[in-house]
Amino acid sequence: MVHYRTCNYICWINRSLFFFSGLATGIYTTNSPEACQYCAEYSRANIIVVEDEKQLQKILQIKHNLPYLKAIIQYDGKPIEKDILSWDDLLNIGKTESEDKLSHVLKTIGVNECCILVYTSGTVGNPKAVMLNHDNMLHGVRAIISTLQIKEKSEIIVSYLPLSHVAAQLVDVIANITLATTVYFADPGALKGTLINTLLVAQPTIFLGVPRVWEKIYEKMQEKARNNGVIKTWIAKWAKAQGLHYYTNKMNGIDYKHWGYIFAKWLVFDKVKAALGLNKCNIFVTAAAPLSIDIKKYFLSLDVPVSEVYGMSENSGPHTLTDFKEYSLYGVGRPISGVYTKLDNIDEHGEGEVCMSGRHIFMGYLNAPEKTEEAKDKNGWLHSGDLGKFDSKGNLSITGRIKELIITSGGENVAPYNIEQSILSELPYLSNAMVVGDKRKYLTVLITLKSNMNEETGAPLDTLTPDVLKWAQSIGSSVKTVTEVISSRDAAIYEEINEAIKRSNIQAISNAQKVQKFEILPHDFSIPTGELGPTLKLKKNVVQKMYADLIDKMYE
């Protein structure tokens, strides 16, 4: 069963739609016309499906540059442009074709044939088209179903991630078709704040959230908690202690629901989950980027054990998954069934590049054999570009990304992620921290303060959030906007950030890993302003270009 609709393009590649064949790829709705042209031209798209008039205009701007394009189909509404097919037109064309022809085509499909192209995020250079075959996708789906014990027909899922993303294709589409479950498609403003409305209606039993979604839920709950009275605050604190105590025991092998946990579940946990639309949810998952331990611990204290999935487009989505039976706050779990993991070039700390092998490894990049050889070696091992290590229980931890490693002018290798998370945990009123220092004498960090968001566009506003305003007042500051903070170099706020960085530096393993200076950016990161990708991943290279002058200033 399917409810609502979602915003996505879909392109059918290299075969005519009228022969019931071909393969699909997605283009993000946030893409510019130029980015759309790159994807469509590179994949030689024959047919492009657009959601509405707005997305159609992008394609019409570049249509003359697409020699392989045969048809454009508009999903929503009746096209006002000539030669554009509506969705109803497409269905009518399909009715004229015989079932025998469709059956014949289906019989010719091989499990090792490419069935979908997934474009990489393109945070470094142009996106690459990842070729995934039928077996790649089905192996990943079956492994997730088995590990998470997903039930046929009874599950409910909310789809809000772009269907261009491999996780959405795997979970929201293929898994649901496989299990005949129910999927609700959120409206286009889901990542701008309307997701909660769909959750309350859908009451999902499985919820997949990217880290930024979990962080936003956490921030809203923290903001609401600050307005609670003394009694409510005490009850919440007691309940969270019971939840954390229960799960700590469970992680240590003691699975006993003591009276405190049972009472806290009835009094607090069930009510909190009902307010989020997650009261029927049994499986909570985070994917696409790392989620901080502090956030995971917070949700664990509210009876929401968030399981982490690690993988990438090139391995069809999942490679490791936190097992609920052996839950751990640390790391990204163990490899799913039927796959293999090794660490390459292991250093003295036990860290090496995470390499993967198995039926889920992609066929290669479309029309890019040299890029394929860089990613997949002659023995079939996919080199992820991520640094990781194993703990004593076999759980994998991702400790950094090779391409994001900062190498200072003194030759010190620095993984910025842990430093960034440490600074954010020291001062919860900061929204983002991005460490800089490649080929520089020392590390610096770019900071963003939590600010309000435009509900229609998702763009950050200048005004600070209510909790940041309260904090500012508590330390003697009267500022109300980010502009005021920066223009006045507000002493109280700058000093608090400086102290937070000092506390973080105490945890550094060497002087080269300590942050020496910082600057506050004029607005928070977002999709409309270009710093975040469609799945809310930070584009560090974009940020460095945008604020090159500010970065240089910290090294004068």
Side-chain angles (χ1 to χ4, degrees):
M1 186 182 295
V2 179
H3 299 268
Y4 304 157
R5 291 176 179 172
T6 190
C7 277
N8 284 284
Y9 297 122
I10 301 176
C11 306
W12 274 272
I13 310 303
N14 292 337
R15 301 274 185 90
S16 171
L17 182 70
F18 310 109
F19 288 100
F20 297 100
S21 190
L23 51 117
T25 186
I27 304 177
Y28 290 111
T29 56
T30 53
N31 276 10
S32 65
E34 293 75 22
C36 293
Q37 178 179 323
Y38 173 82
C39 293
E41 187 178 14
Y42 190 79
S43 58
R44 299 185 178 185
N46 298 145
I47 299 166
I48 297 180
V49 179
V50 298
E51 190 209 0
D52 52 24
E53 177 69 23
K54 179 183 176 182
Q55 303 296 350
L56 174 63
Q57 291 306 316
K58 294 180 184 178
I59 303 302
L60 292 178
Q61 288 181 48
I62 59 170
K63 181 182 175 183
H64 61 283
N65 292 324
L66 303 176
Y68 296 96
L69 184 60
K70 296 179 181 178
I72 301 173
I73 299 156
Q74 184 175 319
Y75 182 73
D76 256 346
K78 190 166 180 63
I80 58 175
E81 304 284 343
K82 283 183 64 178
D83 302 323
I84 307 298
L85 296 173
S86 69
W87 190 253
D88 288 336
D89 293 334
L90 181 67
L91 294 179
N92 289 331
I93 292 171
K95 291 174 183 176
T96 65
E97 297 291 345
S98 69
E99 291 291 329
D100 291 339
K101 186 179 289 187
L102 175 59
S103 299
H104 174 73
V105 172
L106 290 174
K107 288 176 183 177
T108 65
I109 295 174
V111 294
N112 61 344
E113 287 185 336
C114 183
C115 70
I116 188 172
L117 296 177
V118 177
Y119 276 97
T120 58
S121 59
T123 52
V124 181
N126 287 322
K128 299 183 286 290
V130 176
M131 295 189 292
L132 298 172
N133 62 38
H134 297 272
D135 189 55
N136 290 153
M137 300 298 285
L138 289 174
H139 182 268
V141 164
R142 287 165 181 156
I144 287 179
I145 290 171
S146 172
T147 305
L148 296 180
Q149 298 181 354
I150 300 175
K151 300 170 185 175
E152 188 175 357
K153 297 183 180 179
S154 62
E155 306 290 4
I156 301 172
I157 293 175
V158 169
S159 173
Y160 66 93
L161 290 173
L163 293 181
S164 324
H165 194 274
V166 68
Q169 278 290 322
L170 200 74
V171 177
D172 302 351
V173 179
I174 300 174
N176 280 291
I177 292 173
T178 303
L179 296 173
T181 52
T182 300
V183 55
Y184 283 74
F185 285 90
D187 66 57
L191 292 176
K192 300 172 186 174
T194 65
L195 177 59
I196 183 68
N197 301 332
T198 309
L199 293 176
L200 290 169
V201 172
Q203 302 283 299
T205 59
I206 300 172
F207 180 62
L208 167 63
V210 294
R212 195 59 178 157
V213 168
W214 291 108
E215 289 164 7
K216 285 294 182 184
I217 295 173
Y218 165 77
E219 289 168 8
K220 289 291 184 184
M221 293 176 70
Q222 290 287 84
E223 184 181 324
K224 188 173 182 180
R226 291 188 186 96
N227 296 321
N228 286 340
V230 176
I231 296 176
K232 275 191 174 182
T233 300
W234 184 88
I235 292 173
K237 187 175 181 180
W238 171 84
K240 287 191 286 186
Q242 302 307 310
L244 203 56
H245 177 66
Y246 165 68
Y247 280 103
T248 301
N249 283 343
K250 191 173 182 180
M251 286 186 279
N252 291 326
I254 306 170
D255 191 2
Y256 173 70
K257 294 180 179 178
H258 57 282
W259 72 267
Y261 167 79
I262 295 171
F263 186 59
K265 177 175 170 54
W266 171 79
L267 184 64
V268 177
F269 302 155
D270 289 349
K271 291 180 174 63
V272 169
K273 286 191 270 191
L276 295 172
L278 299 175
N279 48 308
K280 294 182 181 178
C281 198
N282 302 309
I283 299 173
F284 309 90
V285 181
T286 182
L291 182 64
S292 76
I293 292 173
D294 288 341
I295 301 290
K296 281 198 272 189
K297 189 178 289 186
Y298 174 81
F299 281 105
L300 199 64
S301 72
L302 291 173
D303 198 34
V304 178
V306 180
S307 182
E308 192 152 5
V309 175
Y310 166 71
M312 53 205 305
S313 300
E314 287 85 346
N315 67 256
S316 316
H319 182 75
T320 68
L321 179 63
T322 307
D323 193 337
F324 288 114
K325 296 176 183 176
E326 297 184 22
Y327 189 82
S328 173
L329 283 168
Y330 305 94
V332 292
R334 298 179 180 179
I336 59 176
S337 61
V339 306
Y340 305 93
T341 313
K342 72 173 183 179
L343 300 180
D344 199 27
N345 297 322
I346 300 174
D347 64 14
E348 66 274 14
H349 305 295
E351 295 180 3
E353 183 182 13
V354 179
C355 298
M356 316 170 197
S357 178
R359 286 169 55 186
H360 62 330
I361 301 303
F362 76 136
M363 301 169 67
Y365 297 117
L366 180 69
N367 299 327
E370 68 291 343
K371 294 290 183 182
T372 302
E373 289 178 9
E374 289 176 16
K376 191 163 61 169
D377 65 28
K378 61 183 179 181
N379 295 316
W381 286 93
L382 172 65
H383 290 249
S384 68
D386 292 320
L387 291 171
K389 62 180 179 181
F390 289 103
D391 65 15
S392 58
K393 295 182 179 180
N395 288 307
L396 177 67
S397 290
I398 304 301
T399 57
R401 181 141 182 87
I402 293 174
K403 289 182 179 178
E404 289 183 359
L405 273 181
I406 292 171
I407 304 177
T408 65
S409 59
E412 183 89 9
N413 284 10
V414 177
Y417 174 75
N418 291 334
I419 300 172
E420 292 161 354
Q421 292 303 310
S422 175
I423 294 171
L424 292 176
S425 66
E426 291 293 339
L427 195 60
Y429 307 101
L430 305 180
S431 182
N432 285 283
M434 192 186 106
V435 172
V436 178
D438 197 47
K439 300 176 184 176
R440 307 275 193 169
K441 291 185 289 184
Y442 50 84
L443 301 183
T444 59
V445 64
L446 298 174
I447 298 289
T448 67
L449 295 168
K450 289 180 180 177
S451 60
N452 294 311
M453 182 177 66
N454 185 308
E455 292 184 2
E456 291 185 5
T457 65
L461 300 174
D462 194 32
T463 53
L464 299 169
T465 57
D467 59 325
V468 176
L469 288 175
K470 281 188 178 181
W471 165 68
Q473 291 170 4
S474 72
I475 60 174
S477 172
S478 60
V479 295
K480 291 182 172 58
T481 66
V482 179
T483 299
E484 289 178 49
V485 174
I486 297 173
S487 60
S488 66
R489 301 286 293 187
D490 188 89
I493 288 180
Y494 274 80
E495 180 58 28
E496 285 290 315
I497 296 174
N498 191 49
E499 289 300 316
I501 291 172
K502 285 182 179 179
R503 293 193 297 273
S504 173
N505 282 341
I506 293 172
Q507 305 166 37
I509 59 176
S510 70
N511 285 332
Q513 308 246 358
K514 294 180 179 180
V515 172
Q516 305 297 330
K517 294 182 181 181
F518 74 93
E519 285 291 347
I520 300 173
L521 298 183
H523 61 77
D524 201 356
F525 300 149
S526 73
I527 295 175
T529 50
E531 302 92 350
L532 300 182
T535 56
L536 306 181
K537 285 184 183 177
L538 179 60
K539 298 180 178 181
K540 291 195 172 185
N541 60 325
V542 172
V543 176
Q544 289 189 7
K545 289 178 182 177
M546 289 174 68
Y547 298 104
D549 292 343
L550 192 61
I551 292 171
D552 289 340
K553 181 182 174 184
M554 290 190 284
Y555 291 97
E556 288 179 354

